[in-house]
Amino acid sequence: MAASARGGPAADRLRGQLHWFLLLRLLLVACFAVCAGLANLAVSSRRDGTSAAWIAGTLLAACGVTWISAWLRDRVRNVRAFAYAQLSFDVSVITALLLVTGGLDSPFALLYPAAIFAGAILLDTSGAAIASLLAGAMYTATAAALASGVGRGWLGPAPLPELGAQLAQRVLIYDAALFLIAYLSSILTTRLRDAERKLREQQTEHERLAKLQEALARHIGCGLVTTDMEGRITAANAQAAEILGTQTEELPGREIGDLFPPLRLTTEARRALLQSSPRASVIEFQHPSGGDERTLRCSAALVENTYGHPIGILYILQDVTPLRRLEQQCARLSEPVEPAAALADSEDDESPPLDGFVGRSPAISQVRALIEKVASSDATVLLCGESGTGKEVAARAIHAKSPRRDRPFIAINCGAIPENLIESELFGHVKGAFTGALANRAGCFRAANGGTVFLDEIGELPLAMQVKLLRVLQERVFLPVGSETQVAVDVRVIAASNKDLAAELQAGRFREDLFYRLNVISITLPPLRERPMDIPLLIRHFLRQSSELHRKKVSRLSVPAARRLLAYPYPGNVRELANIIEHAVTLCDGETVHESHLPPHVLRGTPPLSRTAPRVVEPPFPWKANGNGAGNLDTYLEEHEKTILLRALQEAGGVKKKAAKILGINYRSLRHRLSKYGLVDHSTSPQ
């Protein structure tokens, strides 16, 4: 509100100009008061003193008005009107001085052009025009007044002009001169103002560019170094100092060749720069601080002044060591899609890691990091993930890195044990506890005392057993079947499930207290489709493994075969990839796996029954096909059940656990049905 009341930036600028205008007027008044006034007093002393009094009065009035104007300058609202008033006052004062100091022949007539120029400076063309009109009018009026005798008493014995052609010509010439001065001064001040505006804009742009340059130099991520033509550093940013192994403030004045020999300015390099030939090269060097090998990309450009003369050199230094390492890794990872020799010579491949995980993807690296963190503790771990992602591998890795590594590791598949035997399998039994218990049995928990128990497919555990398992986890004691003596054990429990236990909990098939007791630390194993960069490494690993198993020397893939394997989605994850490679190695007769050695569903590029299901032949309706009643409803239902089981196995890629999940039954029930119809051999994938 205050800024708007004062008139904005233009009004503030005019107020500043008025400040200097009033100061100059005050100085002129003081000068005239000391010089011209005393001279007129000396002259008037030989006359009657009237002229001296008028001069003194005029100067005192001008001084007073100037002081009052200075006080009002910051208080008036319409500053332009105030400026016009000051110009009018100046013209009036000059006219008054003319009347008391000699009329038209007075030297004060030269002050009219000064007032016009001041109007041009303060108010541009309009100020110059108004000042010239006022000055011309006042000069003409003064001439007419003096010619008619109005000022005769003031001028004393000085000759007075007479009306006539000569006086009119003199006045017209002077007025024309005033208008010409107004025109020229307006042009001059307009150009000066334009030059000032352009200078301010250039200064603002220069400051903006300077800030932008500083920001770029600080955040560009590259080292920037400028030197003179002799190679002495004139400026450098923090990135350059880090690359050169020193502090930023220590760089100016030093020879760049001493800090970094590859940048030494030789005669040939100077000649190339002077010829505007770009210099860009990749240099291997040892970092001064750590001594590690780094790769630096360096570019040099000549810096010239306004006249095109070379004044220095700009060096752009970029540490591309991470990019070079990433490029090398990508080159290794992309080998399967290169020519057939890309997967050859597995002897050059690095040996599998001790934790059993093959791969360097971020997903598997995160799993490795979690295993490293949880291995040293005894906290219960819950491994989640799809079937075939390597949950047992993760459990063995946790055990191998834990303080229990020298004690037993017992793995139990809770879905593969019948319900009536699972308690005995876990906790053991005493002789005679039930029919067939011919001797004492220790059980898995007692056998793993001091070590680790891995409970795979924990979601298949019956509710009754979940209660007993919860007691073991909480109290580390249990009762063998048929015994009345509690057994204390020291084991670490690692559980795994390919089911969503939270959903099982909501459905009432899993106990809430057991879920939270198991879910102390949760690790999710990523499916193979989320770590595609690990597929080439896994292919090499399984090629070597299957070749040793089948006593062959298969070491590479053909380009088409490699592309097929890279494009396949692997619903069965790592386990399915291992089966595919074993299938190919088994059929391969030489050293190279070709497309013909891959399973049919891999060649199609889609999992079995993922898009198009095979045609199912509907069994004949027995009562219509056989009228003597040989067929019955049981036979009809068995045929349908057998067909459904086969379709589920095909859709699951031969993975029985996944087929059971598709059918909505547990693993034991599926095995029982497969055994009932003699379909056990149809499932080729491991359990």
Side-chain angles (χ1 to χ4, degrees):
M1 292 297 291
S4 62
R6 290 172 56 89
D12 291 339
R13 183 171 64 252
L14 183 55
R15 283 190 174 90
Q17 293 173 341
L18 282 171
H19 170 78
W20 295 107
F21 172 77
L22 295 173
L23 180 61
L24 180 61
R25 181 201 287 171
L26 189 62
L27 292 176
L28 288 174
V29 168
C31 180
F32 287 137
V34 174
C35 299
L38 292 176
N40 283 322
L41 286 175
V43 173
S44 64
S45 64
R46 295 192 297 268
R47 301 175 189 170
D48 56 2
T50 305
S51 178
W54 278 102
I55 292 174
T58 302
L59 293 177
L60 288 175
C63 183
V65 171
T66 301
W67 281 108
I68 295 173
S69 299
W71 182 78
L72 292 174
R73 178 180 63 92
D74 293 329
R75 291 168 174 79
V76 296
R77 289 181 176 273
N78 194 337
V79 69
R80 288 185 66 85
F82 181 76
Y84 282 119
Q86 296 300 315
L87 292 176
S88 301
F89 176 75
D90 281 352
V91 173
S92 301
V93 170
I94 295 170
T95 303
L97 290 174
L98 287 180
L99 290 173
V100 298
T101 58
L104 300 181
D105 295 329
S106 172
F108 285 102
L110 298 177
L111 292 179
Y112 280 130
I116 294 172
F117 190 73
I121 293 177
L122 292 175
L123 299 166
D124 299 329
T125 304
S126 62
I130 294 298
S132 65
L133 287 173
L134 287 174
M138 287 294 187
Y139 187 81
T140 303
T142 300
L146 292 175
S148 61
V150 173
R152 186 177 301 274
W154 300 342
L155 299 177
L160 295 176
E162 296 181 359
L163 291 174
Q166 186 178 3
L167 179 61
Q169 183 181 4
R170 180 180 179 180
V171 172
L172 288 175
I173 292 174
Y174 191 79
D175 289 345
L178 292 179
F179 286 120
L180 180 61
I181 291 172
Y183 174 72
L184 294 177
S185 62
S186 63
I187 293 177
L188 178 61
T189 54
T190 300
R191 292 185 177 181
L192 288 175
R193 202 175 299 277
D194 290 341
E196 181 184 4
R197 177 180 54 80
K198 291 180 179 179
L199 183 61
R200 285 197 305 268
E201 291 176 355
Q202 290 179 356
Q203 185 177 4
T204 303
E205 182 67 14
H206 180 269
E207 293 176 354
R208 188 184 68 83
L209 291 176
K211 293 180 180 179
L212 179 61
Q213 180 183 4
E214 182 182 358
L216 287 174
R218 186 181 298 117
H219 303 291
I220 195 173
C222 299
L224 299 180
V225 180
T226 56
T227 68
D228 57 18
M229 292 305 297
E230 301 302 323
R232 289 186 294 271
I233 297 176
T234 57
N237 64 354
Q239 288 82 355
E242 193 278 331
I243 291 174
L244 298 176
T246 184
Q247 299 295 324
T248 307
E249 57 272 10
E250 298 177 359
L251 288 175
R254 301 183 63 179
E255 292 282 346
I256 193 170
D258 296 339
L259 292 171
F260 195 66
L263 298 183
R264 191 179 302 278
L265 197 61
T266 62
T267 303
E268 181 181 355
R270 184 180 286 105
R271 186 184 305 112
L273 284 171
L274 292 175
Q275 294 174 354
S276 298
S277 300
R279 296 183 60 206
S281 56
V282 178
I283 305 168
E284 301 286 344
F285 77 106
Q286 295 285 337
H287 193 270
S289 60
D292 55 329
E293 187 75 19
R294 290 196 179 186
T295 304
L296 184 72
R297 187 180 186 275
C298 175
S299 301
L302 195 64
V303 180
E304 299 177 345
N305 60 12
T306 307
Y307 303 100
H309 299 152
I311 59 174
I313 304 169
L314 171 65
Y315 293 95
I316 302 176
L317 311 177
Q318 184 180 12
D319 190 354
V320 295
T321 306
L323 296 177
R324 178 59 61 89
R325 292 173 181 169
L326 182 61
E327 182 183 21
Q328 294 172 353
Q329 292 178 2
C330 291
R332 290 197 300 266
L333 294 175
S334 61
E335 286 180 353
V337 297
E338 298 298 327
L343 287 175
D345 296 330
S346 59
E347 299 174 354
D348 297 335
D349 297 334
E350 58 185 36
S351 58
L354 297 178
D355 58 9
F357 287 102
V358 178
R360 294 190 292 265
S361 64
I364 209 67
S365 299
Q366 185 177 7
V367 171
R368 280 197 177 104
L370 287 173
I371 289 176
E372 288 286 345
K373 291 181 180 180
V374 306
S376 59
S377 69
D378 278 337
T380 304
V381 179
L382 178 61
L383 301 175
C384 304
E386 298 177 6
S387 179
T389 52
K391 294 187 287 295
E392 184 170 345
V393 174
R396 292 185 181 275
I398 294 173
H399 175 75
K401 295 177 181 295
S402 71
R404 301 173 180 268
R405 66 178 67 90
D406 296 328
R407 303 298 297 169
F409 175 87
I410 305 297
I412 307 166
N413 191 327
C414 299
I417 305 174
E419 290 187 21
N420 58 342
L421 296 178
I422 191 168
E423 182 177 2
S424 173
E425 192 72 22
L426 293 177
F427 307 126
H429 62 261
V430 297
K431 180 179 179 181
F434 51 85
T435 303
L438 302 179
N440 293 337
R441 179 180 176 85
C444 296
F445 271 79
R446 191 184 299 183
N449 190 33
T452 304
V453 172
F454 174 54
L455 300 177
D456 196 10
E457 300 302 336
I458 191 70
E460 302 292 343
L461 201 64
L463 286 172
M465 282 303 304
Q466 293 179 23
V467 178
K468 297 183 178 180
L469 177 61
L470 178 63
R471 183 169 181 268
V472 174
L473 294 176
Q474 291 177 342
E475 301 177 8
R476 301 295 177 179
V477 296
F478 62 88
L479 279 174
V481 178
S483 175
E484 297 180 358
T485 303
Q486 290 187 342
V487 177
V489 290
D490 175 25
V491 295
R492 180 183 191 173
V493 175
I494 301 175
S497 176
N498 60 5
K499 290 184 176 181
D500 185 358
L501 292 184
E504 294 292 304
L505 187 150
Q506 294 293 331
R509 293 188 291 268
F510 202 83
R511 292 183 60 89
E512 182 178 5
D513 47 4
L514 178 59
F515 171 77
Y516 290 115
R517 188 62 184 84
L518 292 173
N519 196 30
V520 177
I521 298 174
S522 178
I523 300 177
T524 301
L525 279 298
L528 190 55
R529 61 180 175 275
E530 294 181 4
R531 39 184 289 218
M533 64 182 297
D534 292 339
I535 294 177
L537 301 177
L538 289 166
I539 290 174
R540 290 201 190 103
H541 172 70
F542 292 134
L543 274 176
R544 182 170 54 247
Q545 191 178 73
S546 298
S547 297
E548 294 175 358
L549 178 65
H550 297 282
R551 296 178 183 152
K552 292 187 176 184
K553 295 183 178 180
V554 181
S555 58
R556 67 187 70 183
L557 298 175
S558 67
V559 173
R563 287 175 178 167
R564 294 284 189 181
L565 290 176
L566 289 175
Y568 186 71
Y570 300 102
N573 296 299
V574 179
R575 181 186 291 120
E576 184 179 7
L577 176 59
N579 292 340
I580 291 172
I581 297 300
E582 184 175 1
H583 179 281
V585 171
T586 303
L587 298 182
C588 182
D589 296 325
E591 295 182 358
T592 304
V593 172
H594 296 281
E595 281 184 290
S596 58
H597 302 144
L598 300 176
H601 62 275
V602 175
L603 297 178
R604 290 194 303 268
T606 57
L609 298 178
S610 63
R611 295 184 181 177
T612 58
R615 184 174 60 88
V616 179
V617 179
E618 183 181 358
F621 192 65
W623 291 275
K624 291 184 179 180
N626 190 350
N628 57 11
N632 54 48
L633 180 60
D634 291 336
T635 304
Y636 182 76
L637 294 177
E638 288 175 358
E639 290 294 335
H640 273 288
E641 186 177 19
K642 182 177 179 181
T643 302
I644 293 172
L645 291 172
L646 289 173
R647 287 185 59 184
L649 286 171
Q650 290 175 347
E651 187 171 353
V655 181
K656 296 177 184 177
K657 294 177 182 177
K658 191 171 183 178
K661 186 176 181 180
I662 292 173
L663 295 172
I665 60 177
N666 58 42
Y667 180 72
R668 292 186 299 273
S669 177
L670 177 65
R671 287 183 57 87
H672 171 72
R673 295 170 189 269
L674 293 176
S675 177
K676 174 182 176 182
Y677 299 119
L679 300 177
V680 177
D681 295 336
H682 285 74
S683 178
T684 58
S685 296
Q687 302 172 4

